Amino acid sequence: MTRIYIMILLAMSLSNTAGCGMVAMTVVDTARGGISDIHIISPVRNLQAYDSLDISPFTSTVGGLLSEEILYRLNNRIHDELMNFNNKTTSGKQLQVSGSIIHIADGSFEKQIIVLVRLQDASDGQTVGLANITGQANSIRGLMEGVYAVTDGLVDLLAENQFPGLKESSLFSSLAQPVTLEKM
């Protein structure tokens, strides 16, 4: 009989812990904001050959599922973030960045936006990379956190492929240098 009571108490404590774990995860997700994932469709190649960016306005293929305000904010955010890395003093090759929103989910529990990003040589139009960038946020943060995450994912894509305009950014520096652990 004592064994049954112990099992019941154990089951009750585990169910309480699981509930607290869900609450803790919700708090962490809310504080963290949106997250991004990059899914390479066509390998990104030779971004080191480009000196500057030409940013085309992003478009939408999801119709009425996306408000004009969200699309406007996405374009402004991308333009503002990427212009910080644009080297205007050189007259070298230019990388054209364009994109299209191909999926949006504005559900009760999760917000998600997927953007197909195309990197092209501005002079000849040849595609040098193609990727889907997914921005996700929980329902408390809202769809705009997903938009911010898409922008962060685009900067990450450029940094991971060593676009020269990002050399001055802290993100590029942290990706380019090996991480060493100090002894305590």
Side-chain angles (χ1 to χ4, degrees):
M1 192 69 159
T2 308
R3 184 179 280 176
I4 293 173
Y5 289 126
I6 292 174
M7 294 301 280
I8 290 172
L9 286 172
L10 181 62
M12 288 173 54
S13 66
L14 286 175
S15 68
N16 285 339
T17 303
C20 290
M22 290 299 290
V23 169
M25 286 302 295
T26 301
V27 170
V28 168
D29 283 347
T30 302
R32 180 181 59 195
I35 57 172
S36 64
D37 290 317
I38 302 169
H39 303 281
I40 302 296
I41 297 170
S42 174
V44 179
R45 52 190 160 79
N46 199 20
L47 291 190
Q48 297 85 8
Y50 298 93
D51 297 323
S52 62
L53 295 173
D54 177 23
I55 306 162
S56 297
F58 282 33
T59 61
S60 172
T61 63
V62 297
L65 295 175
L66 181 74
S67 72
E68 289 295 320
E69 178 186 356
I70 297 286
L71 184 59
Y72 176 78
R73 286 181 163 194
L74 174 68
N75 278 308
N76 278 346
R77 174 94 175 177
I78 287 171
H79 185 266
D80 291 347
E81 287 296 315
L82 294 184
M83 290 313 292
N84 291 331
F85 306 121
N86 208 354
N87 188 352
K88 297 178 180 90
T89 60
T90 63
S91 59
K93 291 179 77 174
Q94 197 170 50
L95 179 68
Q96 183 172 4
V97 179
S98 62
S100 181
I101 298 168
I102 59 172
H103 173 77
I104 192 160
D106 196 3
S108 300
F109 299 107
E110 185 175 26
K111 312 297 184 179
Q112 184 182 61
I113 183 169
I114 301 175
V115 178
L116 174 63
V117 174
R118 182 178 305 274
L119 305 174
Q120 294 176 288
D121 186 301
S123 62
D124 64 10
Q126 182 179 6
T127 299
V128 296
L130 196 60
N132 280 341
I133 299 177
T134 303
Q136 300 178 82
N138 67 20
S139 60
I140 295 170
R141 296 296 287 198
L143 191 57
M144 278 311 297
E145 289 299 323
V147 167
Y148 297 153
V150 165
T151 304
D152 294 342
L154 181 53
V155 171
D156 289 346
L157 177 67
L158 293 171
E160 289 170 4
N161 291 284
Q162 300 180 350
F163 174 71
L166 295 177
K167 284 185 180 175
E168 299 303 318
S169 78
S170 60
L171 179 63
F172 184 84
S173 299
S174 67
L175 289 174
Q177 307 212 359
V179 176
T180 57
L181 299 175
E182 295 179 19
K183 292 183 180 180
M184 295 195 175

